[in-house]
Amino acid sequence: MEESHFPTLNDIRFAAVRIKTFTHHTPILTCSAINEMAGCEIFFKCENFQKVGAFKARGAANAVMKLTDEQKSKGVATHSSGNHAAALARAATVAGIPSYIVMPSNAPEIKKKAVKGYGGEIIECEPNLQARETTLEAVVKRTGATFIPPYDFMDVIEGQATCALEFHEEQDDLEIIMAPVGGGGLLGGTALLTHYWDPEIEVIGAEPTGADDAYRSFKAGRLIPQTKPNTIADGLLTSLGVLNFEIIQKYVSDILLATDSQIIDAMRLIYERMKIIIEPSCAVPLAALLAKKERFKGKRVGIILSGGNVDLGKLPF
Amino acid sequence: MEESHFPTLNDIRFAAVRIKTFTHHTPILTCSAINEMAGCEIFFKCENFQKVGAFKARGAANAVMKLTDEQKSKGVATHSSGNHAAALARAATVAGIPSYIVMPSNAPEIKKKAVKGYGGEIIECEPNLQARETTLEAVVKRTGATFIPPYDFMDVIEGQATCALEFHEEQDDLEIIMAPVGGGGLLGGTALLTHYWDPEIEVIGAEPTGADDAYRSFKAGRLIPQTKPNTIADGLLTSLGVLNFEIIQKYVSDILLATDSQIIDAMRLIYERMKIIIEPSCAVPLAALLAKKERFKGKRVGIILSGGNVDLGKLPF
């Protein structure tokens, strides 16, 4: 199989340097109460403390900083109502270039506010995928902006991989590393970097049962798109990307599932015991681990807490 | 004035070593968005990540570990429905000795559960101060346990002072250090250590307007007890202690006030921008700072985030 289109370890190291001044080196936290409950030793990489409150700051910064001056002068564009929108708007503003964010008209006011706060220009469209794509096309045509996809894009995957690089550099004895999987940018980047770092370390994805396309695709060996996702983990509703699936098939050893009630329990555990705020998507790896403790018994497990953007007025407990 | 009864710098350094294996070295976090809003540079010492979720773990551990073997064999006792109760129960269990916690019968079930979870024995009493004191006396008489008061006690103040020691050791350029004030254990310990560390550093207490006895006592130069406190900052309802007031009068330069609505705004800011969970009492210093920005303009300010034990189902937003 031809893999020359994958970023190399050196590429990822360069990306880490490229985005260093625009992102946080996030802390790793542990919690003895959770370790005791889980029967293993867990290290949490806190991307909820990342700029814009999510790991997405890494991929967006990397993609923007890699543009040519010519491209930069015309700005960047994307369609997203989530963390990628905020991350891209911020990265563009930091780089001093415009960003055009296509958002469904029914996107929560708080998400629109965040994008505007980071300096992005919002273009509203009908709330369906078709409208998002045609509106984005029109914006790109009008402005000449470069489209930066949220996950199915190598420069974004390369940026997300810097998280696992930091993780292994600081905690170099992990036996397993886990990340949630939605589009697969974080899990793909984590798997690729971890393969370079030490192929003996197991990479495990975690997904909600209510949006389990990565699980099904992984088991079937072919990409099966997500239809009608239904889960509290609102950052993981999307279908797995093509490039992401390619990496995941090669370098991920397993994908585990968690139900919404397990996700809520794990989320609450992290809030109460660790005193940190995470979004529901973030709790999926711990939920999947706790649902399958025997698989992790006595191991040193790294979990990437992907983000902390949650409506505090609507916590599920 | 005779101060030989105050712990010395060396005493506090010994206390830090004494409690080292039983407590966390908590991280210091910063937040550029809050700095921008405040017009100064703020460093947050995260005691919400401390064992039992509050700085109280320090004082309780120090007091328990300083007991003689004779005293230890009979255990420890206190009356408290808050973080001190959990902290003392845990410290006693770690030391392998019994703890007797007198709690009002109407104390929240979650608080009782925490104390039991840490291995404490709960003795219920009528919900008034008189009943708490007589019940405690009876328990001490029956068991021979040593009473460890929550704040008006030098070994506890010495333990709380280790927090400021860690803070200055790691962040040695603070110009101001702030802590909330209830009974005054944390503020007293902070003021004493900071005076030893560098008397040029200003120590400022922060108190809710709805329980402002420390403010009034400080201004009047005599201890004025708190009657009918009314504030969301439920960790700061108690009256200032005698020893604590003595230290505060000498080494604290100011006490500032914050209204409940300012406290809630500051709490929300910390949740949303820093993605960490704090209890309302914790937000009082930031609230007081934001209410009086000009006093802090351009300074490097340390704020001790005292604890993170909050009922997530009852957030004020």
Side-chain angles (χ1 to χ4, degrees):
Chain A
M1 188 189 281
E2 176 60 64
E3 291 145 38
S4 63
H5 61 300
F6 289 177
T8 65
L9 177 56
N10 255 347
D11 291 337
I12 298 168
R13 287 195 189 280
F14 273 118
V17 174
R18 187 179 295 122
I19 68 171
K20 194 176 163 59
T21 53
F22 312 111
T23 52
H24 285 308
H25 182 121
T26 54
I28 296 170
L29 298 182
T30 62
C31 175
S32 52
I34 293 180
N35 284 347
E36 209 168 295
M37 214 172 289
C40 60
E41 204 177 347
I42 307 176
F43 301 86
F44 294 95
K45 174 76 171 162
C46 293
E47 290 292 300
N48 54 330
F49 296 162
Q50 187 51 267
K51 289 282 181 188
V52 313
F55 74 91
K56 297 270 184 181
R58 296 176 182 270
N62 190 52
V64 166
M65 301 305 162
K66 284 183 93 170
L67 295 175
T68 63
D69 286 347
E70 163 79 23
Q71 289 173 311
K72 278 188 188 161
S73 69
K74 292 179 178 161
V76 288
T78 201
H79 56 76
S80 161
S81 56
N83 290 327
H84 177 64
L88 190 66
R90 177 178 170 274
T93 299
V94 168
I97 67 175
S99 62
Y100 309 96
I101 314 290
V102 176
M103 290 181 106
S105 52
N106 62 353
E109 207 47 52
I110 192 169
K111 302 264 181 185
K112 293 185 195 168
K113 213 176 127 192
V115 168
K116 278 182 211 156
Y118 289 117
E121 182 181 319
I122 294 173
I123 296 99
E124 290 198 6
C125 70
E126 293 294 302
N128 63 67
L129 186 59
Q130 172 83 42
R132 280 162 72 150
E133 287 177 352
T134 54
T135 308
L136 178 68
E137 259 175 59
V139 168
V140 166
K141 198 167 172 195
R142 173 169 62 81
T143 62
T146 304
F147 170 40
I148 309 286
Y151 47 87
D152 200 356
F153 186 53
M154 276 306 174
D155 290 346
V156 166
I157 296 172
E158 183 181 279
Q160 319 305 25
T162 62
C163 175
L165 177 64
E166 265 181 32
F167 204 168
H168 292 303
E169 277 177 344
E170 193 174 335
Q171 189 67 45
D172 68 354
D173 58 358
L174 297 178
E175 296 167 278
I176 298 172
I177 187 166
M178 298 181 80
V181 52
L186 180 63
L187 183 60
T190 301
L192 192 59
L193 182 281
T194 301
H195 168 73
Y196 295 139
W197 188 265
D198 179 354
E200 296 287 300
I201 301 172
E202 260 199 289
V203 181
I204 298 179
E207 206 177 28
T209 48
D212 64 347
D213 64 306
Y215 174 84
R216 288 181 290 120
S217 302
F218 188 75
K219 297 294 177 193
R222 65 188 166 83
L223 209 48
I224 302 169
Q226 182 64 47
T227 49
K228 299 193 183 153
N230 179 15
T231 170
I232 189 174
D234 58 351
L236 307 177
L237 303 179
T238 187
S239 291
L240 192 59
V242 173
L243 294 171
N244 315 274
F245 183 52
E246 195 184 337
I247 298 173
I248 287 168
Q249 268 192 303
K250 283 191 74 74
Y251 302 127
V252 167
S253 61
D254 211 351
I255 295 180
L256 302 179
L257 296 174
T259 65
D260 271 21
S261 113
Q262 290 166 335
I263 294 167
I264 292 170
D265 287 349
M267 185 176 169
R268 180 161 200 149
L269 201 58
I270 290 174
Y271 274 59
E272 289 188 344
R273 293 305 183 136
M274 297 182 66
K275 312 294 181 191
I276 60 175
I277 291 168
I278 58 166
E279 51 191 73
S281 311
C282 238
V284 180
L286 179 61
L289 182 156
L290 290 174
K292 221 162 185 174
K293 285 187 206 177
E294 70 291 349
R295 194 187 188 311
F296 297 88
K297 196 164 186 218
K299 302 273 188 190
R300 281 184 301 279
V301 185
I303 288 181
I304 299 177
L305 294 178
S306 46
N309 294 323
V310 63
D311 186 339
L312 292 168
K314 291 184 183 161
L315 294 179
F317 36 76
Chain B
M1 187 188 281
E2 175 60 64
E3 291 144 36
S4 63
H5 61 298
F6 288 178
T8 65
L9 176 57
N10 255 346
D11 290 337
I12 298 167
R13 287 196 188 279
F14 273 118
V17 174
R18 186 179 296 122
I19 67 171
K20 193 175 164 60
T21 53
F22 312 111
T23 51
H24 285 307
H25 183 121
T26 54
I28 297 169
L29 298 182
T30 61
C31 175
S32 53
I34 293 180
N35 283 347
E36 208 167 298
M37 215 172 288
C40 60
E41 203 178 348
I42 307 177
F43 301 87
F44 294 96
K45 173 77 169 162
C46 293
E47 290 291 301
N48 53 331
F49 295 163
Q50 187 51 268
K51 290 282 181 188
V52 314
F55 73 92
K56 297 269 184 182
R58 297 175 182 268
N62 190 51
V64 166
M65 301 304 163
K66 283 184 93 169
L67 295 176
T68 64
D69 286 349
E70 163 78 22
Q71 289 174 310
K72 277 188 188 160
S73 69
K74 293 178 177 161
V76 288
T78 202
H79 57 75
S80 160
S81 55
N83 289 327
H84 177 63
L88 189 65
R90 177 178 171 273
T93 298
V94 168
I97 67 175
S99 61
Y100 309 97
I101 314 291
V102 175
M103 287 181 108
S105 51
N106 62 353
E109 207 47 52
I110 192 168
K111 302 264 180 186
K112 293 184 194 168
K113 214 177 126 191
V115 168
K116 280 182 209 156
Y118 288 118
E121 183 182 318
I122 293 173
I123 295 98
E124 291 198 4
C125 70
E126 294 294 303
N128 62 67
L129 185 59
Q130 171 83 41
R132 280 163 72 150
E133 286 178 351
T134 55
T135 308
L136 178 67
E137 259 175 58
V139 167
V140 166
K141 199 167 172 194
R142 174 168 63 81
T143 60
T146 303
F147 170 39
I148 309 287
Y151 47 86
D152 199 356
F153 186 53
M154 276 305 174
D155 290 347
V156 167
I157 295 171
E158 184 181 279
Q160 318 306 24
T162 63
C163 175
L165 178 62
E166 266 181 32
F167 204 168
H168 291 304
E169 276 176 346
E170 193 174 334
Q171 188 67 46
D172 69 354
D173 58 358
L174 297 178
E175 296 167 279
I176 298 173
I177 186 167
M178 298 182 80
V181 53
L186 180 64
L187 183 60
T190 301
L192 193 58
L193 182 283
T194 301
H195 168 73
Y196 295 140
W197 188 266
D198 179 354
E200 295 287 299
I201 301 172
E202 258 200 290
V203 181
I204 298 179
E207 207 177 26
T209 48
D212 64 347
D213 63 307
Y215 174 83
R216 286 180 292 118
S217 302
F218 188 76
K219 297 294 176 193
R222 66 189 165 82
L223 208 48
I224 302 169
Q226 181 64 45
T227 50
K228 302 197 182 149
N230 179 15
T231 169
I232 191 176
D234 58 352
L236 307 177
L237 303 179
T238 187
S239 291
L240 192 59
V242 173
L243 293 172
N244 314 276
F245 182 52
E246 197 184 334
I247 298 173
I248 288 168
Q249 269 191 303
K250 284 191 75 72
Y251 302 127
V252 167
S253 62
D254 211 351
I255 295 182
L256 301 179
L257 296 175
T259 65
D260 271 21
S261 112
Q262 289 167 335
I263 294 168
I264 292 171
D265 286 350
M267 185 175 169
R268 179 159 202 152
L269 201 58
I270 289 175
Y271 274 59
E272 289 188 343
R273 292 304 182 138
M274 297 181 66
K275 311 295 181 191
I276 62 175
I277 291 169
I278 57 165
E279 51 192 73
S281 310
C282 239
V284 181
L286 179 61
L289 183 156
L290 290 174
K292 221 162 183 170
K293 285 187 206 177
E294 71 292 349
R295 194 187 187 312
F296 297 87
K297 195 161 187 223
K299 301 273 187 189
R300 282 183 301 279
V301 185
I303 288 181
I304 299 176
L305 294 178
S306 47
N309 294 322
V310 64
D311 186 339
L312 291 168
K314 291 183 183 161
L315 294 179
F317 37 75

